[in-house]
Amino acid sequence: MSRLTPIQLLDELEAISRSPPTNFLENVELRAKLYIAAKKASAALERPTVVVVRLLLSQPVEDNFAPKTLDQLLATTGVDRDLLKRILRALTAFGAIKEVDQEKFPLRLQYQMLGNASFGHAVVNCIIREKPTAGLGFGTLMSTWGEVHALLQHLYPVAEKMIDEFDRSISTVMFVDVGGGHGSKAVALKTAFSHLPGRIIVPDLAMSIDQAPKAEGREFQVHDFFTDQPVKNAKIYYTRQCLHNWPDDLSIKILQHLAQAMKPEYSRILAHDQMSRNLEPGSRCRSKISTRWPCVA
Ligand SMILES: C[S@@+](CC[C@H](N)C(=O)[O-])C[C@H]1O[C@@H](n2cnc3c(N)ncnc32)[C@H](O)[C@@H]1O
């Protein structure tokens, strides 16, 4: 154990991270040893909940936590063998999987919760419903995180399928962004297509809407997506990053409420989410555990 007190140790570490001493940086061996020690200390100190948040933001990729062989992972991911090997080595160093043993790659215990299909359900329930104060920054987090991922307009022919087909005599509503958080995706859509006709509605729980920054271009609606969707006959019902948070039976309920609000032959549901690799757009819903992102079906 260090002769420094924890406070002194903390001060030292903060000083190093602000400005690593030149003699550390120039001594290649010392630098590597310090780096590895810091990584090990970080892994030893990391709380399981922090592991959860870090991994949640980097997308779950596995559908159960039994050790997989390289060939099984190759079949699931379809990527180049050498590339996959390199990624697995990196994941080993990152601490997500144990030492490679005869080409088997078991997830570490702290990561195995990600193999549970109801994991996202539990996390979101915890954040949004049971610990509302813990969820205060969630909408902001989602808005910020979303910035690095493809938006609907990068994946869907908005001009042909939304603008050209919009019929104001059926409904004045173009776009319902179900569970849309702070509405940042709806605003981005309107910014990309300023001539997008019709109203944009963003239903979400009150807790999320109450914190949303005010901006032109969308109307908020306090609504629980497990209840009837009151906005009928809209052109598009869009759910982004919502369905994967719920087990299949609850996801189906969300979709059923949307289906009941739709105008046949006119409205569409666009589910923009993580999908199982063997689920093709347009096919029936199966597991929602991610092997690729994003996908619009
Ligand atoms: C992962 S976030 C996705 C937010 C947004 N669609 C996006 O992609 O940035 C899930 C959203 O679902 C909302 N949500 C959770 N339970 C809900 C419910 N029962 N009814 C409506 N919205 C809900 C949350 O408040 C949150 O905004």
Side-chain angles (χ1 to χ4, degrees):
M1 189 58 201
S2 164
R3 276 164 289 149
L4 300 175
T5 66
I7 299 296
Q8 287 168 330
L9 180 60
L10 188 61
D11 286 346
E12 286 293 312
L13 288 171
E14 283 176 348
I16 291 174
S17 41
R18 270 195 308 275
S19 164
T22 319
N23 61 327
F24 283 17
L25 296 179
E26 286 172 355
N27 183 333
V28 177
E29 194 181 334
L30 177 65
R31 183 177 179 162
K33 282 182 176 165
L34 283 168
Y35 172 75
I36 291 166
K39 294 280 285 180
K40 282 186 179 163
S42 158
L45 293 170
E46 195 172 33
R47 282 180 296 136
T49 46
V50 177
V51 172
V52 168
V53 171
R54 182 159 56 77
L55 289 180
L56 195 63
L57 296 182
S58 48
Q59 306 293 335
V61 292
E62 192 45 86
D63 59 359
N64 68 52
F65 41 81
K68 295 282 187 295
T69 64
L70 185 63
D71 284 337
Q72 284 169 322
L73 290 169
L74 280 170
T76 311
T77 59
V79 302
D80 175 78
R81 190 178 191 92
D82 286 342
L83 175 64
L84 183 59
K85 273 185 164 174
R86 272 188 228 137
I87 291 171
L88 289 168
R89 267 189 226 121
L91 283 172
T92 309
F94 184 59
I97 56 180
K98 289 183 203 152
E99 295 294 327
V100 175
D101 170 25
Q102 297 178 339
E103 303 235 316
K104 281 211 166 173
F105 302 92
L107 273 175
R108 279 188 185 282
L109 197 62
Q110 298 98 311
Y111 292 70
Q112 292 186 358
M113 66 189 89
L114 300 177
N116 182 335
S118 58
F119 163 72
H121 179 190
V123 171
V124 170
N125 258 348
C126 169
I127 294 175
I128 302 292
R129 287 185 186 274
E130 291 167 25
K131 294 198 174 175
T133 50
L136 283 179
F138 193 63
T140 309
L141 172 68
M142 283 311 301
S143 302
T144 315
W145 178 38
E147 282 166 15
V148 299
H149 294 296
L151 295 167
L152 175 66
Q153 54 269 30
H154 304 134
L155 303 163
Y156 190 71
V158 172
E160 295 88 330
K161 295 284 183 191
M162 289 174 60
I163 298 176
D164 293 354
E165 290 183 8
F166 183 65
D167 185 344
R168 195 174 288 277
S169 70
I170 295 175
S171 165
T172 57
V173 179
M174 162 65 90
F175 193 71
V176 183
D177 188 359
V178 179
H182 289 181
S184 57
K185 309 308 172 308
V187 169
L189 177 66
K190 186 73 183 174
T191 305
F193 291 87
S194 55
H195 58 301
L196 190 79
R199 292 159 60 205
I200 293 179
I201 299 186
V202 182
D204 206 301
L205 298 174
M207 198 205 77
S208 175
I209 287 179
D210 288 349
Q211 301 165 41
K214 304 289 163 254
E216 293 294 312
R218 77 262 201 249
E219 304 163 40
F220 286 108
Q221 173 203 51
V222 174
H223 180 249
D224 179 344
F225 49 43
F226 294 112
T227 63
D228 280 350
Q229 170 50 249
V231 180
K232 308 291 182 199
N233 301 338
K235 179 64 191 147
I236 301 290
Y237 294 90
Y238 177 63
T239 74
R240 180 183 184 279
Q241 291 275 65
C242 290
L243 299 177
H244 72 263
N245 289 326
W246 304 93
D248 283 357
D249 55 335
L250 293 181
S251 292
I252 288 168
K253 281 209 171 77
I254 296 171
L255 293 171
Q256 280 171 340
H257 286 300
L258 298 183
Q260 280 159 11
M262 291 168 81
K263 166 95 176 158
E265 310 298 327
Y266 174 71
S267 307
R268 277 175 194 271
I269 295 175
L270 300 181
H272 184 172
D273 222 305
Q274 296 151 221
M275 293 174 70
S276 165
R277 195 178 162 70
N278 53 7
L279 177 61
E280 291 306 322
S283 67
R284 283 176 62 81
C285 181
R286 307 239 297 267
S287 166
K288 295 177 298 299
I289 297 298
S290 163
T291 54
R292 63 182 173 171
W293 160 266
C295 185
V296 172

